[in-house]
């Protein structure tokens, strides 16, 4: 009786205080902007309001900030400043790559050394990509602008397997696009291994008069959580998304040997900014903020990663202690690495939708999966189902992604919150049965 009384008091105390204290665990959806980034944006708004193409002081200041940011982003990914193009965000960057690959394939054979012209270009991707890759490819497929193969990820490892991608290659294959890390499971894909295989195959293909195979990775979820080096990854293109690593909502695209080793064609035409690849007067304040966010990652990524992994592991330990076999961890795959901050977990007993579990929480701010799928309703995550997660578990899943400042104290409160939410669901189920 005393124990039950104590539990009741704890729950009442939670109810009294929940409106004053929320804990955000949806950092894979978006991150808050750091004070240093805000300061960089404010400085640019105040001092660099001029057109970067102009020669007067405010314009020169804007140009200087843009050049600095370009170098900061290049340093973060281990590339060269001249290989960085600024974009409005990850969606535009991904679309640029996909459309460039298709258009480049259509260049006359004598210019592209592509004897497969006359056939549609073929692009290979996985079946767990972000919508900004999957939906443009489906559009290209529907309009008969390209052939697309969606390679299934392994239901054992959660990864796209290198051999499956290689087996999908055709004479008209021109691009492979595989995300660096999945936003729902956190699984890190074998991009380096795949790039090595593709590079060797591309050499043989060029000797046969076939097109080279370009390689793109969307690194939105990995940046700021794990160290990234484009030389090690060996990719032609890498997508950068600022709001995933405490920066503003713009993006950038790394293009190895821009316009030479790796083709890039503009989606827009205008004043010639960004060397004609992305025209339009540059958004200097947001670019400056993105550069500052990249600088922080370059300086502190090891610390960020270590902290997030320690807190995430503590979160999973506490969940296991409290719930035991009533939950299922959906982001643990044997033989696969995952992001240090990501935990995907399902409530199995009482059986409930992930949305319902979250709705009974007082403190926790999280999601059932990718923010871009918020209109999916109660349908289970296609990513989880594709990764081998059982249907019931996929329906009951929530994604908990910790951040740079998430603490063990936050975890203790969240686990208690999830426990009382599960108890509320259990009581609701009992009442319905009666």
């Amino acid at each position: 009786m005393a124990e039950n009384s104590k539990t009741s008091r704890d729950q009442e105390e939670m109810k009294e205080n929940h409106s004053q204290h929320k804990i955000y665990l949806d950092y894979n959806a978006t991150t808050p902007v750091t004070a240093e980034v805000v300061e960089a944006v404010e400085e640019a708004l105040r001092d660099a309001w001029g057109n970067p193409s102009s020669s007067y002081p405010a314009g020169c200041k804007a140009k200087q900030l843009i050049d600095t940011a370009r170098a900061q982003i290049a340093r973060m990914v281990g590339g060269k400043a001249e290989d960085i193009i600024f974009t409005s965000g990850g969606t535009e960057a991904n679309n640029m790559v996909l459309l460039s690959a298709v258009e480049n394939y259509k260049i006359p054979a004598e210019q592209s050394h592509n004897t497969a012209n006359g056939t549609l270009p073929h692009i290979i991707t996985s079946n767990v990509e972000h919508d900004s890759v999957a939906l443009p490819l489906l559009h290209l497929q529907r309009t008969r602008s390209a052939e697309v193969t969606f390679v299934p990820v392994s239901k054992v490892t959660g990864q796209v397997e290198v051999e499956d991608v290689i087996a999908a290659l055709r004479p008209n294959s021109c691009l492979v696009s595989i995300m660096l890390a999945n936003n729902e499971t956190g699984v890190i894909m074998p991009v380096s291994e795949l790039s090595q295989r593709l590079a060797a195959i591309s050499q043989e293909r060029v000797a046969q008069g076939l097109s080279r195979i370009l390689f793109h990775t969307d690194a939105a979820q990995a940046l700021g959580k794990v160290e990234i080096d484009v030389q090690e990854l060996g990719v032609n293109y890498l997508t950068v998304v600022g709001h995933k690593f405490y920066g503003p909502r713009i993006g950038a695209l790394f293009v190895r040997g821009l316009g030479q080793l790796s083709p890039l064609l503009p989606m827009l035409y205008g004043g010639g900014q960004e060397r004609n690849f992305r025209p339009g007067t540059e958004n200097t304040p947001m670019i400056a903020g993105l550069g500052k966010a990249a600088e922080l990652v370059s300086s502190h990524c090891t610390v960020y990663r270590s902290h997030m992994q320690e807190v995430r592991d503590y979160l999973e330990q506490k969940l296991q202690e409290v719930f035991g076999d009533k939950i299922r961890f959906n982001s643990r795959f044997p033989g696969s690495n995952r992001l240090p901050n990501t935990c995907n977990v399902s409530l199995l007993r009482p059986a409930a939708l992930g949305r319902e579990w979250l709705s009974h929480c007082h403190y926790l701010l999280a999601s059932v999966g990718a923010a871009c799928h918020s209109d999916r309703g109660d349908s289970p995550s296609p990513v989880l189902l594709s990764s081998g997660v059982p249907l019931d578990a996929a329906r009951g899943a929530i994604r908990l992604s910790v951040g740079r400042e998430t603490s063990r104290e936050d975890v203790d409160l969240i686990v208690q919150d999830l426990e009382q939410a599960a108890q509320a669901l259990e009581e609701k189920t009992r009442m319905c049965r009666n």
Side-chain angles (χ1 to χ4, degrees):
M1 287 291 292
E3 183 63 32
N4 290 338
S5 177
K6 180 180 182 302
T7 301
S8 298
R9 287 198 304 270
D10 289 344
Q11 291 178 357
E12 287 302 318
E13 185 177 342
M14 287 178 66
K15 290 178 182 178
E16 290 176 7
N17 297 331
H18 78 268
S19 62
Q20 302 174 5
H21 190 67
K22 297 290 186 180
I23 296 175
Y24 182 75
L25 287 189
D26 205 16
Y27 289 90
N28 282 8
T30 197
T31 56
V33 180
T34 64
E36 296 93 333
V37 170
V38 171
E39 184 178 346
V41 171
E42 288 180 344
E43 178 188 348
L45 284 167
R46 183 179 60 249
D47 302 332
W49 51 266
N51 191 313
S53 300
S54 302
S55 58
Y56 42 77
C60 292
K61 176 66 172 178
K63 178 68 162 58
Q64 176 189 350
L65 289 181
I66 291 170
D67 289 344
T68 297
R70 201 184 307 277
Q72 289 167 325
I73 294 162
R75 192 176 307 117
M76 176 179 65
V77 300
K80 299 177 181 178
E82 58 264 32
D83 289 339
I84 301 296
I85 293 291
F86 293 110
T87 69
S88 63
T91 294
E92 181 186 345
N94 288 342
N95 275 259
M96 283 183 74
V97 172
L98 302 175
L99 297 178
S100 292
V102 169
E103 291 301 314
N104 183 69
Y105 185 90
K106 297 176 182 177
I107 295 175
E110 61 270 17
Q111 296 181 35
S112 65
H113 307 292
N114 177 14
T115 58
N117 272 321
T119 62
L120 294 176
H122 176 234
I123 298 175
I124 300 172
T125 190
S126 80
N127 66 339
V128 296
E129 297 295 316
H130 189 270
D131 276 355
S132 59
V133 168
L135 295 184
L137 288 177
L138 288 171
H139 173 74
L140 290 170
Q141 196 174 47
R142 281 195 302 267
T143 58
R144 293 196 53 77
S145 300
E147 297 174 349
V148 183
T149 298
F150 292 89
V151 175
V153 296
S154 166
K155 293 184 182 297
V156 176
T157 66
Q159 293 182 338
V160 62
E161 300 294 336
V162 172
E163 293 302 329
D164 291 341
V165 174
I166 299 302
L169 291 172
R170 304 175 186 173
N172 56 329
S173 297
C174 62
L175 177 73
V176 173
S177 179
I178 302 293
M179 59 176 26
L180 187 51
N182 187 264
N183 50 313
E184 293 191 44
T185 63
V187 168
I188 298 174
M189 302 298 176
V191 170
S192 294
E193 182 184 351
L194 181 54
S195 72
Q196 293 174 14
R197 295 287 302 276
L198 291 174
I201 292 171
S202 282
Q203 287 185 345
E204 298 174 1
R205 287 167 63 96
V206 170
Q208 299 168 9
L210 298 174
S211 63
R212 288 189 303 125
I213 303 168
L214 303 167
F215 192 15
H216 164 244
T217 190
D218 180 349
Q221 284 300 332
L223 283 163
K225 299 166 188 166
V226 295
E227 295 82 356
I228 289 177
D229 184 344
V230 291
Q231 309 309 323
E232 179 183 333
L233 292 176
V235 293
N236 297 92
Y237 311 94
L238 182 139
T239 296
V240 175
V241 181
H243 74 98
K244 302 295 188 181
F245 56 95
Y246 295 76
R249 286 194 173 98
I250 66 165
L253 181 64
F254 162 82
V255 187
R256 184 184 303 278
L258 178 59
Q260 298 174 346
L261 293 175
S262 307
L264 189 71
L265 301 174
M267 296 199 307
L268 305 172
Y269 294 88
Q273 292 86 353
E274 292 297 288
R275 290 157 286 172
N276 283 313
F277 292 110
R278 209 280 181 175
T281 304
E282 298 92 337
N283 190 346
T284 307
M286 294 298 103
I287 289 173
L290 184 65
K292 175 56 70 172
E295 180 183 65
L296 293 172
V297 169
S298 297
S299 300
H300 307 298
C301 190
T302 301
V303 175
Y304 296 155
R305 176 177 187 166
S306 177
H307 172 75
M308 287 187 286
Q309 182 155 345
E310 190 273 330
V311 174
R312 191 274 315 277
D313 289 349
Y314 179 69
L315 168 64
E316 294 190 345
Q317 173 193 331
K318 297 300 291 185
L319 286 171
Q320 189 71 68
E321 290 175 2
V322 168
F323 287 96
D325 62 0
K326 293 181 179 179
I327 58 170
R328 182 188 194 277
F329 291 106
N330 304 314
S331 46
R332 294 175 173 177
F333 293 89
S336 295
N337 295 320
R338 61 169 160 152
L339 296 174
N341 79 318
T342 305
C343 167
N344 195 299
V345 62
S346 297
L347 181 64
L348 303 179
R349 295 194 303 278
L353 298 172
R355 174 185 56 76
E356 293 176 328
W357 195 13
L358 289 176
S359 71
H360 284 76
C361 289
H362 299 313
Y363 298 97
L364 175 61
L365 300 176
S367 67
V368 297
C372 59
H373 289 154
S374 59
D375 60 348
R376 197 174 57 213
D378 295 336
S379 300
S381 162
V383 168
L384 295 183
L385 294 177
S386 297
S387 303
V389 176
L391 177 61
D392 288 346
R395 285 171 55 83
I398 61 173
R399 181 184 66 184
L400 306 175
S401 47
V402 307
R404 296 174 186 175
E405 297 180 356
T406 309
S407 68
R408 282 183 169 231
E409 290 73 22
D410 292 333
V411 167
D412 289 337
L413 185 56
I414 286 307
V415 172
Q416 185 182 359
D417 199 16
L418 286 168
E419 182 182 20
Q420 69 79 26
Q423 290 171 351
L425 285 170
E426 192 166 10
E427 179 63 24
K428 181 180 177 181
T429 301
R430 186 181 302 114
M431 291 177 63
C432 290
R433 287 174 180 168
N434 293 336

